[in-house]
Amino acid sequence: MFFSRFSDSFKSLRRTRTLTIMGIFLAIQIVLASYGTIQLGESLKISLSHLALAPTAMLFGPVAAGIQGALSDILAFLIKPTGPYFPGFSISKALSGIIYGCLFYKTSCKVQHVFIARALVTVLLNILFNSFLLALLYGPGKWAMLPVRIVKNCIQYPIDCMLLYAVCRTVERVPQSSIAR
């Protein structure tokens, strides 16, 4: 069942409607990443771009959301660069989409799924993986920012969960027949 989510998600990419809707959410995600981000420092920022990734994950699964995540990072950099491009962050965004897709695709929106998905993304990607990437990019001194990154993500976590749950519930109300034709 778990692996069928990936094959079903991959098959959905053959439909024009899927690609069109993904493009709309990709555009929203790029706008949120480029202009809806609060830069708190060189390597610390608050972004709500994940809110446009969750609908793709819900509607089209982990493969589609992973592709959208990576594309959003690349395109947002091209539109409004905030530092050097580093492909590790594109991988991080793709993994976020895959995590959301694994937990949201073909399931009803449940609070526990939102909490688990956001916790995985926050701890594994935002805190650990992205801190590792920043240390690779800027040097091992960036590990000193880890406590600040942990505090920032702990404060942001409940806000992200509430917003993500609201988005997921809204997407869930959209009739599937209007999306999956």
Side-chain angles (χ1 to χ4, degrees), residues 95-119:
L95 291 172
S96 294
I98 291 169
I99 289 171
Y100 288 144
C102 288
L103 288 164
F104 297 156
Y105 188 48
K106 294 189 174 183
T107 62
S108 61
C109 183
K110 294 184 178 140
V111 174
Q112 59 265 33
H113 289 157
V114 171
F115 281 126
I116 292 168
R118 198 62 207 152

mmCIF file of all heavy atoms in Angstrom, residues 95-119:
data_model
loop_
_atom_site.group_PDB
_atom_site.id
_atom_site.type_symbol
_atom_site.label_atom_id
_atom_site.label_comp_id
_atom_site.label_asym_id
_atom_site.label_seq_id
_atom_site.Cartn_x
_atom_site.Cartn_y
_atom_site.Cartn_z
ATOM 1 N N LEU A 95 12.285 16.456 -0.399
ATOM 2 C CA LEU A 95 11.995 15.522 0.699
ATOM 3 C C LEU A 95 10.793 15.975 1.519
ATOM 4 O O LEU A 95 10.003 15.151 1.983
ATOM 5 C CB LEU A 95 13.229 15.350 1.588
ATOM 6 C CG LEU A 95 14.398 14.600 0.961
ATOM 7 C CD1 LEU A 95 15.631 14.662 1.862
ATOM 8 C CD2 LEU A 95 14.022 13.155 0.672
ATOM 9 N N SER A 96 10.630 17.289 1.676
ATOM 10 C CA SER A 96 9.430 17.813 2.358
ATOM 11 C C SER A 96 8.170 17.385 1.614
ATOM 12 O O SER A 96 7.203 16.916 2.221
ATOM 13 C CB SER A 96 9.460 19.338 2.427
ATOM 14 O OG SER A 96 10.480 19.799 3.226
ATOM 15 N N GLY A 97 8.184 17.559 0.301
ATOM 16 C CA GLY A 97 7.038 17.149 -0.502
ATOM 17 C C GLY A 97 6.770 15.662 -0.404
ATOM 18 O O GLY A 97 5.617 15.230 -0.327
ATOM 19 N N ILE A 98 7.831 14.861 -0.398
ATOM 20 C CA ILE A 98 7.669 13.407 -0.287
ATOM 21 C C ILE A 98 7.074 13.035 1.065
ATOM 22 O O ILE A 98 6.177 12.191 1.153
ATOM 23 C CB ILE A 98 9.017 12.705 -0.541
ATOM 24 C CG1 ILE A 98 9.406 12.869 -2.014
ATOM 25 C CG2 ILE A 98 8.957 11.231 -0.155
ATOM 26 C CD1 ILE A 98 10.827 12.463 -2.330
ATOM 27 N N ILE A 99 7.544 13.676 2.131
ATOM 28 C CA ILE A 99 6.988 13.399 3.464
ATOM 29 C C ILE A 99 5.513 13.764 3.506
ATOM 30 O O ILE A 99 4.669 12.984 3.969
ATOM 31 C CB ILE A 99 7.787 14.147 4.553
ATOM 32 C CG1 ILE A 99 9.176 13.515 4.716
ATOM 33 C CG2 ILE A 99 7.032 14.147 5.889
ATOM 34 C CD1 ILE A 99 10.129 14.299 5.593
ATOM 35 N N TYR A 100 5.178 14.961 3.016
ATOM 36 C CA TYR A 100 3.769 15.353 2.994
ATOM 37 C C TYR A 100 2.947 14.387 2.142
ATOM 38 O O TYR A 100 1.840 13.997 2.519
ATOM 39 C CB TYR A 100 3.599 16.775 2.446
ATOM 40 C CG TYR A 100 4.065 17.870 3.383
ATOM 41 C CD1 TYR A 100 4.668 19.013 2.880
ATOM 42 C CD2 TYR A 100 3.896 17.778 4.755
ATOM 43 C CE1 TYR A 100 5.093 20.031 3.716
ATOM 44 C CE2 TYR A 100 4.317 18.778 5.602
ATOM 45 C CZ TYR A 100 4.917 19.899 5.075
ATOM 46 O OH TYR A 100 5.332 20.900 5.907
ATOM 47 N N GLY A 101 3.480 14.002 0.997
ATOM 48 C CA GLY A 101 2.768 13.088 0.119
ATOM 49 C C GLY A 101 2.534 11.729 0.760
ATOM 50 O O GLY A 101 1.466 11.134 0.593
ATOM 51 N N CYS A 102 3.527 11.226 1.483
ATOM 52 C CA CYS A 102 3.376 9.929 2.145
ATOM 53 C C CYS A 102 2.307 9.957 3.227
ATOM 54 O O CYS A 102 1.617 8.964 3.454
ATOM 55 C CB CYS A 102 4.714 9.482 2.753
ATOM 56 S SG CYS A 102 5.931 8.966 1.526
ATOM 57 N N LEU A 103 2.150 11.096 3.886
ATOM 58 C CA LEU A 103 1.190 11.175 4.987
ATOM 59 C C LEU A 103 -0.175 11.728 4.595
ATOM 60 O O LEU A 103 -1.166 11.464 5.264
ATOM 61 C CB LEU A 103 1.774 12.007 6.130
ATOM 62 C CG LEU A 103 2.896 11.290 6.885
ATOM 63 C CD1 LEU A 103 3.691 12.268 7.727
ATOM 64 C CD2 LEU A 103 2.337 10.190 7.745
ATOM 65 N N PHE A 104 -0.248 12.516 3.518
ATOM 66 C CA PHE A 104 -1.515 13.162 3.161
ATOM 67 C C PHE A 104 -2.231 12.534 1.976
ATOM 68 O O PHE A 104 -3.437 12.707 1.824
ATOM 69 C CB PHE A 104 -1.304 14.646 2.851
ATOM 70 C CG PHE A 104 -0.807 15.475 4.003
ATOM 71 C CD1 PHE A 104 -0.121 16.649 3.767
ATOM 72 C CD2 PHE A 104 -1.024 15.102 5.311
ATOM 73 C CE1 PHE A 104 0.338 17.439 4.806
ATOM 74 C CE2 PHE A 104 -0.568 15.870 6.364
ATOM 75 C CZ PHE A 104 0.115 17.040 6.110
ATOM 76 N N TYR A 105 -1.508 11.839 1.106
ATOM 77 C CA TYR A 105 -2.107 11.335 -0.134
ATOM 78 C C TYR A 105 -3.057 10.179 0.153
ATOM 79 O O TYR A 105 -2.734 9.247 0.875
ATOM 80 C CB TYR A 105 -0.996 10.878 -1.077
ATOM 81 C CG TYR A 105 -1.428 10.499 -2.469
ATOM 82 C CD1 TYR A 105 -2.257 11.313 -3.218
ATOM 83 C CD2 TYR A 105 -0.967 9.334 -3.044
ATOM 84 C CE1 TYR A 105 -2.622 10.979 -4.505
ATOM 85 C CE2 TYR A 105 -1.324 8.984 -4.346
ATOM 86 C CZ TYR A 105 -2.153 9.814 -5.065
ATOM 87 O OH TYR A 105 -2.513 9.481 -6.342
ATOM 88 N N LYS A 106 -4.251 10.274 -0.406
ATOM 89 C CA LYS A 106 -5.292 9.245 -0.299
ATOM 90 C C LYS A 106 -5.706 8.969 1.148
ATOM 91 O O LYS A 106 -6.043 7.846 1.504
ATOM 92 C CB LYS A 106 -4.854 7.948 -0.980
ATOM 93 C CG LYS A 106 -4.692 8.099 -2.475
ATOM 94 C CD LYS A 106 -4.484 6.771 -3.140
ATOM 95 C CE LYS A 106 -4.464 6.956 -4.637
ATOM 96 N NZ LYS A 106 -4.347 5.732 -5.358
ATOM 97 N N THR A 107 -5.661 9.985 1.979
ATOM 98 C CA THR A 107 -6.166 9.869 3.348
ATOM 99 C C THR A 107 -6.986 11.114 3.651
ATOM 100 O O THR A 107 -6.837 12.144 2.992
ATOM 101 C CB THR A 107 -5.029 9.764 4.395
ATOM 102 O OG1 THR A 107 -4.249 10.957 4.339
ATOM 103 C CG2 THR A 107 -4.144 8.565 4.170
ATOM 104 N N SER A 108 -7.822 11.011 4.641
ATOM 105 C CA SER A 108 -8.556 12.204 5.060
ATOM 106 C C SER A 108 -7.637 13.037 5.952
ATOM 107 O O SER A 108 -6.719 12.517 6.579
ATOM 108 C CB SER A 108 -9.835 11.817 5.808
ATOM 109 O OG SER A 108 -9.519 11.077 6.964
ATOM 110 N N CYS A 109 -7.893 14.310 6.000
ATOM 111 C CA CYS A 109 -7.064 15.224 6.772
ATOM 112 C C CYS A 109 -7.313 15.002 8.260
ATOM 113 O O CYS A 109 -8.414 15.223 8.753
ATOM 114 C CB CYS A 109 -7.387 16.665 6.388
ATOM 115 S SG CYS A 109 -6.365 17.859 7.224
ATOM 116 N N LYS A 110 -6.299 14.540 8.940
ATOM 117 C CA LYS A 110 -6.388 14.299 10.382
ATOM 118 C C LYS A 110 -5.323 15.128 11.076
ATOM 119 O O LYS A 110 -4.217 15.304 10.558
ATOM 120 C CB LYS A 110 -6.183 12.824 10.684
ATOM 121 C CG LYS A 110 -7.294 11.956 10.137
ATOM 122 C CD LYS A 110 -7.110 10.518 10.545
ATOM 123 C CE LYS A 110 -8.291 9.724 10.007
ATOM 124 N NZ LYS A 110 -7.930 8.453 9.491
ATOM 125 N N VAL A 111 -5.649 15.596 12.264
ATOM 126 C CA VAL A 111 -4.726 16.426 13.032
ATOM 127 C C VAL A 111 -3.416 15.684 13.272
ATOM 128 O O VAL A 111 -2.332 16.262 13.135
ATOM 129 C CB VAL A 111 -5.369 16.860 14.371
ATOM 130 C CG1 VAL A 111 -4.371 17.597 15.236
ATOM 131 C CG2 VAL A 111 -6.586 17.726 14.127
ATOM 132 N N GLN A 112 -3.503 14.387 13.596
ATOM 133 C CA GLN A 112 -2.273 13.646 13.889
ATOM 134 C C GLN A 112 -1.359 13.540 12.664
ATOM 135 O O GLN A 112 -0.147 13.576 12.799
ATOM 136 C CB GLN A 112 -2.555 12.259 14.481
ATOM 137 C CG GLN A 112 -3.367 11.343 13.631
ATOM 138 C CD GLN A 112 -4.851 11.372 13.955
ATOM 139 O OE1 GLN A 112 -5.385 12.407 14.344
ATOM 140 N NE2 GLN A 112 -5.517 10.246 13.783
ATOM 141 N N HIS A 113 -1.937 13.440 11.463
ATOM 142 C CA HIS A 113 -1.109 13.420 10.252
ATOM 143 C C HIS A 113 -0.381 14.741 10.071
ATOM 144 O O HIS A 113 0.792 14.770 9.683
ATOM 145 C CB HIS A 113 -1.951 13.127 9.008
ATOM 146 C CG HIS A 113 -2.445 11.725 8.940
ATOM 147 N ND1 HIS A 113 -3.540 11.372 8.200
ATOM 148 C CD2 HIS A 113 -1.997 10.579 9.506
ATOM 149 C CE1 HIS A 113 -3.755 10.078 8.318
ATOM 150 N NE2 HIS A 113 -2.833 9.577 9.112
ATOM 151 N N VAL A 114 -1.083 15.830 10.331
ATOM 152 C CA VAL A 114 -0.470 17.152 10.207
ATOM 153 C C VAL A 114 0.655 17.309 11.223
ATOM 154 O O VAL A 114 1.761 17.748 10.885
ATOM 155 C CB VAL A 114 -1.532 18.265 10.383
ATOM 156 C CG1 VAL A 114 -0.881 19.638 10.474
ATOM 157 C CG2 VAL A 114 -2.534 18.218 9.243
ATOM 158 N N PHE A 115 0.406 16.915 12.474
ATOM 159 C CA PHE A 115 1.432 17.024 13.512
ATOM 160 C C PHE A 115 2.651 16.158 13.189
ATOM 161 O O PHE A 115 3.784 16.595 13.347
ATOM 162 C CB PHE A 115 0.876 16.642 14.888
ATOM 163 C CG PHE A 115 0.073 17.728 15.536
ATOM 164 C CD1 PHE A 115 -1.211 17.483 15.976
ATOM 165 C CD2 PHE A 115 0.598 19.004 15.715
ATOM 166 C CE1 PHE A 115 -1.959 18.480 16.581
ATOM 167 C CE2 PHE A 115 -0.140 20.005 16.314
ATOM 168 C CZ PHE A 115 -1.421 19.743 16.745
ATOM 169 N N ILE A 116 2.420 14.936 12.724
ATOM 170 C CA ILE A 116 3.533 14.032 12.403
ATOM 171 C C ILE A 116 4.318 14.552 11.199
ATOM 172 O O ILE A 116 5.552 14.613 11.230
ATOM 173 C CB ILE A 116 3.020 12.603 12.152
ATOM 174 C CG1 ILE A 116 2.493 11.989 13.452
ATOM 175 C CG2 ILE A 116 4.113 11.714 11.555
ATOM 176 C CD1 ILE A 116 1.709 10.699 13.263
ATOM 177 N N ALA A 117 3.602 14.924 10.138
ATOM 178 C CA ALA A 117 4.277 15.414 8.930
ATOM 179 C C ALA A 117 5.099 16.657 9.245
ATOM 180 O O ALA A 117 6.262 16.762 8.852
ATOM 181 C CB ALA A 117 3.258 15.710 7.836
ATOM 182 N N ARG A 118 4.494 17.592 9.940
ATOM 183 C CA ARG A 118 5.216 18.832 10.252
ATOM 184 C C ARG A 118 6.378 18.570 11.201
ATOM 185 O O ARG A 118 7.436 19.200 11.073
ATOM 186 C CB ARG A 118 4.239 19.859 10.830
ATOM 187 C CG ARG A 118 4.764 21.253 10.780
ATOM 188 C CD ARG A 118 5.009 21.735 9.362
ATOM 189 N NE ARG A 118 6.050 22.746 9.393
ATOM 190 C CZ ARG A 118 6.879 23.021 8.426
ATOM 191 N NH1 ARG A 118 6.799 22.397 7.286
ATOM 192 N NH2 ARG A 118 7.795 23.933 8.555
ATOM 193 N N ALA A 119 6.218 17.643 12.144
ATOM 194 C CA ALA A 119 7.314 17.302 13.063
ATOM 195 C C ALA A 119 8.479 16.677 12.299
ATOM 196 O O ALA A 119 9.643 17.011 12.550
ATOM 197 C CB ALA A 119 6.824 16.357 14.159
#
